[in-house]
Amino acid sequence: MYRKLLFVLSFLLVTHALQAQVTLTGTSYAETFDGVGTSLPSSWSIYTGATSTTLGNTATYVSAATAWTSTTGNFRNVASGDIGTGSNNTQQNAATDRAIAIRQTGSLGDPGAAFAVKLANTTGFQDFKLSLKLQSLDASSARSTTWAIQYGLGNSPTSFTTVATQAIGGSTFTNNTVNYEFGFALDNIGQNVWIRVVALTASTGSGSRATTGLDDFSLTYSALSNNPRIAVSATSLPAMVYTVGQTPTSTTFTTAGKNLNPATPIVVTPPANYEVSTDANSGYTTSPLALTPAGDGSVNQTVYTRLASGLSSGAYSGTVTVATTEVAGAKSIAVSGNVYPSSGSGPCGISTAISAVRGAADNVTFTVTGRVTSNIGTNMYIQDATGGLLLYTGSGTTIEIPEVSIGDEVQVTGVITTYRTDRELQQFTGCFVKTTSSSITPTSTTVTGTTVCDHKGELVTLPSVTISAPAGTAFTGGANYTLVGTSTVLRIQNGTDLVNATRPSGSFDLTGVVSLFDNVCQILPRSTADVPGSTPTAASCPEVGTGGSGTAVTATLDVAWWNVEWLGNTGFGPTNEAQQQSNVAAQLQTMNKDIYCLEEICDLTKLDAIVATLNAGTGKSYTYTCGADPSRPSPRPAIYYSHWFDSPEVPGDATTYAQKVCFVYDQAVVTNVSATQIVPASLTDAGSSDWASNRFPVLMNCDVTINGIKKNLKLVGVHAKSGSDNSSYSRRIADFNSLRTYLDTNYPNDNIMIMGDYNDDVDQSIYIDAATSATNVTSFSALSTSANYTVVTKQLSNCNVPSTASYPDIIDHLTVSNEISTNGTFTASGIQYITNSVNNVRPVTGGTTTSDHYPVTARFLLAAPDLTPTLDLPQANFNTNTTNNFAAYITEVGGNLPTTGNTIITITAPTGYTIGFDNTISSINVTDGTTNLAVDNTKWSVTNNVSNIQLTLTLAVGQSIGVSGKSTLGFSLTRTTANSGSTSSVTVNVSNDATQAYDSNITNNVYSRIISGL
């Protein structure tokens, strides 16, 4: 056994050493792969698990002919892409032109797949040039993989040099020839040389992975000599682009030389409209550039090449030549590029016209400016005067996406790419801003069935269309609908109110954004407003907002939460600041609530004026708090706001005033207020991404009193990170998880209400990945799925009641802790949400000139025990030294809650009388009244006795008086020194309870009975 094990280990250790290798002869080596029907070619190997420092693990090869579209993950024998994209499986199997290929899967080769050939050495040879074909063989595969062509030295290399890359996949069938000149890199090497094609990074996108084929590998070379030589590192350079007004960016190649005369330069000559330099930042020239050899006759110089500055927009191409009089023939490097027209400048720099960006090559970075025409999930469409474009804000985006509405102008910097045949800008990692330009509602362009596809990315209206298929009366999310007389389809996007909406039965004018999907034109309507005759299917919820309709507002605690959209910031939101301020004040006065949680308060002087107007109009005494803490050390502000650490507010400049969360409250109802922002302990002056980069929740600790009943509340006002992209969704999840942990740790048994702009819906998240149409759970599931919390506004979500003017979702929510009842009864807290009282408020005073959000409101009942005493003393006449027995009844008349805490009563006899109480008896005979009356004396104890004239009794720990219940106590009253003919009173009193644990109403706490001395 030991010998066998040793043999196996030895075999594994020398696997690469035993790999067959190519011994070079002549002037070329070629592999067509036409014989792969039995095995891999000699000297070739395949790997999984390849990395930048290892060859990987030898993989299994399937020699049977396999179809390009087979989704089984393996290395395989396939027909070469040379036979053409339209070849069926039979034609592929019969083809004699073969290739080796891999179908990557999540568990095979993604990343880490590699094809490799091993050369014994290159001794005696120079001037190596490589040519191969990398083929994307399954056009239905949406994911894209970047393959690197590398070389490494030694029997088992630990480092590799990348010489070229090629993208494969992306729903395309391509046959790409890759050429590379190694220059001097592989000259006369006396050890193994590996050349490999490897996928070092994971595929991007979604859907199935590509089938990648390798074919027609060719390596040419010549015999080693000492003749003068020159070499360049590329035969072509990536396309160079810039936009009019920008500084051109450069790309590079390396020029090398050997055995040259130091007095004879290598000359690099750029073509017209291009310039070259040996420095990345300066020295560019359109004239020939001379490179002087070193004393040993060598040259190794990086050459920077770019389009000349100041060109007009257009396409430019040519050839850079590298030559010396010592070497026959010049080296040629093909260059191409475009200068794009500008559409203006902004915070992200100079923008390129959208039409030019749509026509550009993939993987080029552009800045564009446009107005938002649609914003659903991770798909945002914008449009300028030249065209429209999709901004995909899903995977690859690492920066904050601002909250925008249709009509807002944005400027963004991203990478143009092709997805399922349509163009989109993605990978937003540097700049994505909402500009200060006023919002302008976009208008659609009227098109015909034959011209609609000329307007990709644009908002259009296609008149008089009729749906022909599929059959049905309601729309389905993620489905396509055929339109009569045109090849364009109507597609219903998840995340719109068109999902489950009724379909129009006849002809209608269809409005939406034009997209392209696998070369099929689609119109994407944004809501039922774009499909006349379609009606959202709302749940049958006539009860919404009706709760408490018979209860006076003075008997309930009424709260509202409202995003007032950049109130006081002159750069964003409604443009007429005075009108917005007046409208907000009028709306608050109309709603007449006890507490308002307002989000996006930017200018506190505006809020001062609104509160003053509210007080004058209502006769109440409102004030506000935003959780300010003036003691915070500089540079931290008294009130944190988004990006305070990199975009501080400037006094007097209202364009810099940032969003804050504030509570406005009626001081007659709300007292003992303290407020602070919930700031993570980890916050540093360098900033944080928490809560939209420091727009922290406000915690207001307060007492509220309704009809004499007082309760303590912990109110939390929130304004979560906006955005339907993956990054924003993930940040909201982290923020709400953190908030719940904070509340559970610090206030595990308190009465908590969390209200404000959650920027997400509760039934499912507004984040829907456009690439997969997959829905996601709400970002505040830490609250919505917890038994310790109830999202009161889930009723609005279930009933399709929105909280914004632009979208069908409810994103402004109220969550209460389980101490607050939501089932129509009272719990121990004595706070009850009034069922069906939650609702949005529409229309809003001033409409969208006030805010793009609707206020949302809810009502609560407060309850506390109410004890009142009575006496049963039938015989009220007393002879000298006569004792009469009587009963006292302590009754709960509130009808809502049992008593808790130490219930205390006092019974007092007049002068000349004494009281007796025995806490061991269970019944008493009331004089001239009930005999054997059951009493609760054993549950009470005398805690103070003043000469047997006044007794204070306390209910035992663990005992209580139930809802509408009573406790009966038996006493004796004896006349001692009272005068004959005198009248006086015996009194029982429920002690006033400031905590309202056992009594909340002091007006019925005393009962007296007149007695007479005979």
Side-chain angles (χ1 to χ4, degrees):
M1 174 64 77
Y2 175 77
R3 292 181 178 177
K4 290 182 179 179
L5 179 60
L6 182 61
F7 172 78
V8 171
L9 290 172
S10 300
F11 174 79
L12 292 173
L13 289 171
V14 300
T15 297
H16 296 312
L18 296 177
Q19 168 72 41
Q21 53 194 17
V22 177
T23 299
L24 299 179
T25 59
T27 58
S28 67
Y29 162 75
E31 179 53 65
T32 64
F33 301 105
D34 292 341
V36 293
T38 56
S39 63
L40 288 172
S42 175
S43 309
W44 282 83
S45 49
I46 50 179
Y47 299 96
T48 58
T51 69
S52 60
T53 59
T54 62
L55 285 166
N57 308 308
T58 303
T60 301
Y61 173 66
V62 176
S63 60
T66 307
W68 294 333
T69 57
S70 170
T71 57
T72 302
N74 56 32
F75 285 89
R76 59 179 65 167
N77 161 23
V78 299
S80 171
D82 292 344
I83 69 172
T85 181
S87 304
N88 58 34
N89 290 354
T90 300
Q91 292 169 323
Q92 292 175 38
N93 289 340
T96 57
D97 189 357
R98 311 303 296 176
I100 55 174
I102 182 175
R103 180 70 174 216
Q104 292 174 287
T105 66
S107 58
L108 181 82
D110 187 14
F115 309 91
V117 61
K118 181 181 182 183
L119 310 181
N121 54 62
T122 63
T123 303
F125 298 104
Q126 64 183 24
D127 289 336
F128 283 83
K129 300 179 180 65
L130 171 68
S131 177
L132 59 81
K133 292 177 181 175
L134 270 180
Q135 302 170 338
S136 180
L137 299 174
D138 184 0
S140 67
S141 299
R143 286 181 181 258
S144 179
T145 298
T146 297
W147 293 85
I149 294 88
Q150 300 183 316
Y151 70 87
L153 306 180
N155 180 59
S156 183
T158 57
S159 66
F160 294 86
T161 299
T162 299
V163 298
T165 59
Q166 178 65 52
I168 295 295
S171 303
T172 58
F173 183 99
T174 58
N175 192 356
N176 310 282
T177 298
V178 179
N179 295 309
Y180 183 76
E181 294 187 12
F182 288 94
F184 309 144
L186 300 186
D187 289 0
N188 197 36
I189 293 175
Q191 59 181 320
N192 294 140
V193 175
W194 293 79
I195 299 175
R196 70 175 184 174
V197 180
V198 59
L200 292 175
T201 57
S203 63
T204 58
S206 60
S208 60
R209 292 164 175 82
T211 298
T212 302
L214 173 63
D215 197 15
D216 294 341
F217 180 95
S218 172
L219 197 63
T220 62
Y221 41 87
S222 61
L224 188 67
S225 74
N226 292 322
N227 295 331
R229 296 168 57 203
I230 59 172
V232 292
S233 61
T235 56
S236 64
L237 296 180
M240 288 165 266
V241 300
Y242 72 91
T243 298
V244 172
Q246 289 180 335
T247 299
T249 57
S250 62
T251 188
T252 65
F253 66 90
T254 300
T255 296
K258 276 186 177 182
N259 306 321
L260 300 174
N261 183 343
T264 305
I266 296 176
V267 178
V268 179
T269 304
N273 303 309
Y274 283 82
E275 49 193 20
V276 291
S277 176
T278 56
D279 186 286
N281 301 310
S282 63
Y284 284 94
T285 178
T286 57
S287 301
L289 181 68
L291 307 178
T292 302
D296 62 357
S298 66
V299 171
N300 187 20
Q301 177 65 57
T302 299
V303 177
Y304 298 87
T305 307
R306 69 183 192 183
L307 284 161
S309 59
L311 297 176
S312 58
S313 59
Y316 300 89
S317 61
T319 301
V320 177
T321 60
V322 179
T324 175
T325 57
E326 292 192 83
V327 177
K331 300 293 184 181
S332 298
I333 304 170
V335 291
S336 61
N338 282 274
V339 177
Y340 294 107
S342 168
S343 64
S345 62
C348 301
I350 295 176
S351 288
T352 305
I354 287 178
S355 60
V357 175
R358 291 195 65 94
D362 281 350
N363 301 315
V364 178
T365 299
F366 285 102
T367 296
V368 296
T369 300
R371 293 206 174 270
V372 178
T373 57
S374 178
N375 187 20
I376 298 170
T378 52
N379 282 359
M380 181 187 300
Y381 284 88
I382 65 170
Q383 192 169 317
D384 68 5
T386 70
L389 185 65
L390 167 63
L391 310 182
Y392 173 68
T393 59
S395 59
T397 293
T398 60
I399 60 173
E400 181 175 337
I401 304 299
E403 183 175 357
V404 297
S405 301
I406 291 174
D408 289 340
E409 185 183 71
V410 297
Q411 189 184 37
V412 304
T413 301
V415 178
I416 189 68
T417 188
T418 302
Y419 177 75
R420 302 302 288 260
T421 68
D422 203 0
R423 310 309 308 281
E424 62 183 41
L425 208 64
Q426 56 174 239
Q427 300 177 45
F428 303 107
T429 59
C431 192
F432 197 123
V433 298
K434 178 180 172 181
T435 74
T436 57
S437 175
S438 299
S439 180
I440 300 175
T441 301
T443 57
S444 62
T445 299
T446 301
V447 296
T448 67
T450 56
T451 64
V452 60
C453 220
D454 297 332
H455 297 269
K456 301 178 191 71
E458 300 175 33
L459 184 66
V460 303
T461 295
L462 182 59
S464 303
V465 300
T466 303
I467 298 172
S468 61
T473 59
F475 286 122
T476 300
N480 290 344
Y481 292 84
T482 303
L483 302 176
V484 175
T486 177
S487 59
T488 300
V489 300
L490 183 163
R491 182 168 178 81
I492 301 300
Q493 302 174 89
N494 286 312
T496 70
D497 67 347
L498 283 158
V499 178
N500 298 323
T502 58
R503 284 167 43 176
S505 57
S507 175
F508 61 96
D509 295 344
L510 172 63
T511 298
V513 176
V514 180
S515 74
L516 194 66
F517 190 85
D518 291 345
N519 291 312
V520 175
C521 267
Q522 303 176 327
I523 293 182
L524 310 176
R526 302 158 297 175
S527 69
T528 50
D530 286 340
V531 186
S534 178
T535 304
T537 302
S540 179
C541 299
E543 69 280 6
V544 168
T546 62
S549 57
T551 305
V553 294
T554 55
T556 59
L557 174 68
D558 297 338
V559 299
W561 51 103
W562 187 19
N563 182 320
V564 289
E565 195 183 3
W566 292 97
L567 178 70
N569 184 299
T570 57
F572 299 101
T575 55
N576 189 325
E577 302 298 329
Q579 180 185 40
Q580 183 189 25
Q581 174 185 317
S582 175
N583 290 346
V584 170
Q587 183 65 48
L588 298 183
Q589 183 173 333
T590 299
M591 291 191 292
N592 191 30
K593 303 303 178 185
D594 301 308
I595 299 172
Y596 301 95
C597 177
L598 303 180
E599 305 90 56
E600 295 198 16
I601 298 292
C602 298
D603 186 348
L604 294 182
T605 64
K606 299 288 187 185
L607 186 56
D608 288 332
I610 288 170
V611 169
T613 301
L614 189 59
N615 289 337
T618 62
K620 296 181 178 181
S621 180
Y622 285 96
T623 188
Y624 70 85
T625 178
C626 308
D629 182 1
S631 68
R632 290 195 181 109
S634 179
R636 298 180 180 181
I639 303 172
Y640 285 112
Y641 51 83
S642 288
H643 293 280
W644 64 268
F645 46 85
D646 58 13
S647 298
E649 293 184 335
V650 178
D653 183 358
T655 64
T656 69
Y657 295 168
Q659 300 170 352
K660 306 164 189 73
V661 178
C662 302
F663 282 102
V664 176
Y665 56 92
D666 180 358
Q667 297 177 87
V669 175
V670 184
T671 57
N672 300 322
V673 172
S674 63
T676 185
Q677 289 179 297
I678 302 175
V679 179
S682 60
L683 179 68
T684 68
D685 289 334
S688 158
S689 64
D690 297 344
W691 293 99
S693 299
N694 295 181
R695 193 170 58 199
F696 298 116
V698 175
L699 171 64
M700 185 169 82
N701 181 11
C702 62
D703 292 332
V704 296
T705 304
I706 301 294
N707 285 347
I709 299 175
K710 181 186 289 186
K711 300 292 179 184
N712 180 261
L713 293 176
K714 302 295 188 294
L715 304 180
V716 181
V718 301
H719 188 184
K721 172 71 179 71
S722 65
S724 56
D725 56 287
N726 182 53
S727 174
S728 298
Y729 173 67
S730 299
R731 288 171 63 181
R732 283 196 298 271
I733 290 174
D735 290 340
F736 279 110
N737 287 351
S738 175
L739 177 61
R740 178 187 161 180
T741 298
Y742 173 86
L743 295 175
D744 287 353
T745 301
N746 294 282
Y747 305 105
N749 302 307
D750 288 76
N751 307 315
I752 299 172
M753 298 183 187
I754 307 166
M755 65 188 73
D757 185 354
Y758 286 42
N759 265 311
D760 209 348
D761 208 341
V762 61
D763 56 345
Q764 68 181 44
S765 177
I766 63 170
Y767 166 56
I768 301 173
D769 195 309
T772 63
S773 296
T775 58
N776 296 277
V777 298
T778 178
S779 54
F780 55 96
S781 60
L783 300 175
S784 66
T785 62
S786 170
N788 294 327
Y789 296 91
T790 299
V791 182
V792 170
T793 39
K794 187 172 184 180
Q795 181 184 27
L796 302 185
S797 183
N798 292 340
C799 295
N800 299 324
V801 178
S803 63
T804 70
S806 303
Y807 302 103
D809 308 286
I810 170 83
I811 62 173
D812 299 87
H813 292 282
L814 171 66
T815 300
V816 298
S817 61
N818 62 353
E819 287 77 15
I820 298 173
S821 169
T822 57
N823 63 2
T825 62
F826 281 104
T827 54
S829 71
I831 307 174
Q832 177 195 145
Y833 160 69
I834 300 178
T835 304
N836 296 325
S837 68
V838 70
N839 201 6
N840 67 5
V841 178
R842 289 191 290 177
V844 172
T845 303
T848 54
T849 65
T850 306
S851 175
D852 55 355
H853 286 244
Y854 305 128
V856 188
T857 66
R859 303 178 68 190
F860 295 84
L861 289 170
L862 308 186
D866 183 5
L867 296 183
T868 189
T870 57
L871 293 175
D872 181 15
L873 199 165
Q875 181 49 269
N877 297 319
F878 289 80
N879 289 311
T880 301
N881 297 321
T882 298
T883 297
N884 291 335
N885 294 334
F886 68 97
Y889 300 104
I890 312 299
T891 306
E892 199 288 309
V893 295
N896 290 311
L897 290 174
T899 62
T900 60
N902 297 320
T903 305
I904 302 172
I905 66 169
T906 301
I907 188 160
T908 305
T911 302
Y913 291 84
T914 60
I915 295 176
F917 177 78
D918 183 353
N919 70 347
T920 65
I921 64 174
S922 59
S923 65
I924 193 173
N925 293 322
V926 176
T927 302
D928 293 340
T930 305
T931 60
N932 293 318
L933 176 66
V935 294
D936 300 315
N937 288 28
T938 59
K939 299 178 181 178
W940 294 78
S941 60
V942 176
T943 52
N944 192 46
N945 185 339
V946 181
S947 303
N948 291 325
I949 295 174
Q950 186 181 72
L951 302 180
T952 299
L953 282 71
T954 301
L955 189 62
V957 175
Q959 301 296 327
S960 66
I961 301 174
V963 176
S964 301
K966 67 180 178 180
S967 183
T968 303
L969 296 91
F971 295 90
S972 64
L973 184 62
T974 301
R975 177 183 171 189
T976 55
T977 62
N979 294 329
S980 297
S982 62
T983 60
S984 53
S985 297
V986 60
T987 302
V988 61
N989 177 67
V990 174
S991 297
N992 292 346
D993 174 21
T995 67
Q996 299 187 349
Y998 63 83
D999 183 66
S1000 60
N1001 182 11
I1002 64 174
T1003 64
N1004 61 356
N1005 283 2
V1006 180
Y1007 185 90
S1008 297
R1009 176 73 162 88
I1010 296 174
I1011 59 176
S1012 301
L1014 297 178

